[in-house]
Amino acid sequence: MLTKVIGCGLVVCATTAIGMRTGMEYKYRVEELGRLKRVIWHLKGEINYSRNALPDVCFQVAKRVENPYKSWLCCMGESLEKKGYSDLGKLWQMETLAHFEDTHLNRKDVAELADLGYQLGYMDVVRQEETLKWYGARLEEIRKPLAEKLEERRRLCTTLGVMSGIFLAILLI
Amino acid sequence: MKEKQLYRILPQRIREILLKNEVKFESLQEIRMREGQPLFMRVNGRDKEYLHFVSREELKETLEYITDYSPYAFEEELRKGFLTIQGGHRIGIAGKVVMEQGKVKNFQYISSINIRVCHEVKGCADQVLPRLVSNGKIEHTLILSPPGCGKTTLLRDLVRQISDGTTFMSGKNVGVVDERCEIGGCYRGVPQNHLGRRTDILDGCSKVEGMNMLVRSMSPEILAVDEIGSEEDREAIEYAIHSGVTVIATAHGDALEDIQSKEFFWFKKIVLLGKSERAGEIRGIFDDRGNRIC
């Protein structure tokens, strides 16, 4: 009996931990989207102020942000200077996919960021600003409802974890 | 270094042609790419045609490399039809332009790219500089020649030697107004050509405004300017001369008579260049009365 009780306790603890972790992941994604939005805001400001080419813009913004954005922008700047690909979109995509695999952004977030390169570079400065502004707004569009429901979702995940643990414990008993 | 900087902006196929044909960087002067036409290169003053037809994609790729994938950052340069890349190489472009209120707004299609390879000929002013000095002072000098004879190359080396100093002359503060980015070949404001330790450069600035700015703000002892000719240029030079600055300038012309009508009377020395045997050949150095000094 004691073994069963201990086993059930462990099951409930484990499922509760899974629930809490899921809730935390949710919180991390919201924070990461906020950070990405700030990076995009920096990129837009740098283009608007300095009117520099993209490699310089990347290097300048990299000085003001933390990893993984710092390393992403440094590598992006270096790749742009090396001129390995004939089009910016492809190069941007490769670097982005390589740097955001293990972050809290989900696949769709990373795919959208990777596609941003196809919109950058050509036309005038206004177009660059508009593109980055649009993408910043798009990030906010994703982040805001997530942030509003953050506490609710976290509680839900934790509760679901506990409840599923209890359910499994009843089945085991 | 300059070689790598040039090759980096070329499409893969053209890079291969350069390597395959063992075109030496030192002798390469120009690469001309026109859509649907064979590739041309000027090597040692002679045009060479290559059996490679330049495609629209190659022109687009070259433009991406030239502008660091950021044509928006080079709007002003593209509007003027040329830009300077790292290494001081000058890229000229042509094609269908978009006009707005009578001015070029942008290029709709780019059909030709001309890459002028930048070479510094250090020492080409060795024979000239001593003859420009009188009583230990450099005199107002005009370098005169038809296009492509090495005026800018000679001016660049004069600036370098005057700025760094020579065995017979200590270094002087030199101001350079580089309207067409040819003297310094500036990239992001930094000269890619060696212009000496005491040289201040105004890159991409109009000659008249640049000369006035330098005289007022940088107190140069020598002012160097390329391709003068207009009434406004003459007025700006006069202002600089009256401010006690020595002016070294270049102008288009084939003979001394070409400048007499332009009233360049304040120049005490005139260096006449030609290219009957080679570019940069000195046809003569004259004083302000037209007497040959050498």
Side-chain angles (χ1 to χ4, degrees), chain A residues 47 51-57 80-81 83-88 91 121 123-125 128, chain B residues 8-9 15 60-61 64-75 86 105-106 187-188:
Chain A
I47 288 176
R51 313 232 153 185
N52 275 338
L54 283 171
D56 276 348
V57 169
L80 288 168
E81 282 199 331
K83 307 181 200 309
Y85 284 89
S86 60
D87 75 294
L88 171 65
L91 201 149
M123 289 204 194
D124 55 9
V125 175
Q128 314 308 309
Chain B
R8 257 198 333 206
I9 62 149
R15 271 183 239 179
K60 198 169 161 265
E61 190 179 340
E64 289 277 302
Y65 294 155
I66 289 165
T67 60
D68 279 332
Y69 305 89
S70 319
Y72 72 86
F74 296 90
E75 262 181 272
Q86 206 171 6
K105 188 183 175 222
N106 213 333
Y187 177 72
R188 295 173 186 166

Side-chain angles (χ1 to χ4, degrees), chain A:
Chain A
M1 188 61 191
L2 184 67
T3 321
K4 272 190 178 179
V5 171
I6 293 169
C8 289
L10 283 172
V11 168
V12 173
C13 285
T15 54
T16 306
I18 291 168
M20 285 174 78
R21 190 183 151 75
T22 311
M24 287 304 281
E25 277 295 325
Y26 193 80
K27 185 189 165 207
Y28 290 146
R29 184 177 168 226
V30 172
E31 287 174 354
E32 203 70 69
L33 285 168
R35 270 198 286 271
L36 177 58
K37 198 185 145 204
R38 274 199 295 280
V39 172
I40 298 298
W41 183 80
H42 277 305
L43 287 171
K44 182 173 154 285
E46 188 65 32
I47 288 176
N48 181 28
Y49 176 72
S50 68
R51 313 232 153 185
N52 275 338
L54 283 171
D56 276 348
V57 169
C58 289
F59 290 133
Q60 288 303 319
V61 176
K63 287 177 192 167
R64 298 198 293 268
V65 296
E66 299 297 319
N67 275 329
Y69 304 101
K70 193 185 188 76
S71 62
W72 170 59
L73 289 169
C74 282
C75 292
M76 184 75 78
E78 281 165 16
S79 296
L80 288 168
E81 282 199 331
K82 278 182 196 158
K83 307 181 200 309
Y85 284 89
S86 60
D87 75 294
L88 171 65
K90 186 90 186 152
L91 201 149
W92 181 280
Q93 195 172 46
M94 300 263 301
E95 286 297 340
T96 306
L97 294 177
H99 280 83
F100 288 93
E101 260 189 358
D102 299 322
T103 59
H104 299 290
L105 296 174
N106 67 21
R107 279 188 181 190
K108 201 176 164 223
D109 300 333
V110 176
E112 282 191 12
L113 177 61
D115 283 345
L116 182 66
Y118 288 102
Q119 319 296 324
L120 287 175
Y122 72 103
M123 289 204 194
D124 55 9
V125 175
V126 179
R127 168 77 185 190
Q128 314 308 309
E129 286 180 58
E130 288 296 316
T131 303
L132 292 170
K133 200 172 150 187
W134 168 83
Y135 183 65
R138 167 90 188 117
L139 286 175
E140 186 57 20
E141 207 175 272
I142 302 168
R143 196 196 71 85
K144 204 176 170 187
L146 291 177
E148 280 169 2
K149 291 178 187 165
L150 181 62
E151 281 310 311
E152 193 185 312
R153 285 270 183 117
R154 281 181 67 188
R155 272 201 301 273
L156 181 69
C157 289
T158 312
T159 313
L160 276 174
V162 176
M163 296 303 285
S164 57
I166 294 169
F167 176 69
L168 282 174
I170 292 167
L171 284 182
L172 284 171
I173 292 165

Side-chain angles (χ1 to χ4, degrees), chain B residues 253-267:
Chain B
D254 201 15
L256 290 184
E257 295 77 50
D258 292 342
I259 57 162
Q260 278 164 357
S261 58
K262 291 179 182 168
E263 299 171 6
F264 288 145
F265 51 80
W266 49 73
F267 289 109

Side-chain angles (χ1 to χ4, degrees), chain B residues 138-197:
Chain B
I138 297 170
E139 296 199 287
H140 304 301
T141 302
L142 181 68
I143 303 165
L144 192 67
S145 86
C149 291
K151 287 187 297 292
T152 308
T153 308
L154 178 62
L155 180 66
R156 191 184 296 137
D157 199 48
L158 279 171
V159 167
R160 182 183 64 81
Q161 293 200 26
I162 294 167
S163 175
D164 282 346
T166 62
T167 49
F168 58 90
M169 190 181 72
S170 59
K172 296 187 188 312
N173 289 322
V174 183
V176 175
V177 185
D178 200 2
E179 185 173 5
R180 294 168 62 191
C181 319
E182 279 191 309
I183 306 173
C186 285
Y187 177 72
R188 295 173 186 166
V190 181
Q192 302 294 297
N193 296 318
H194 182 206
L195 293 182
R197 287 167 293 175

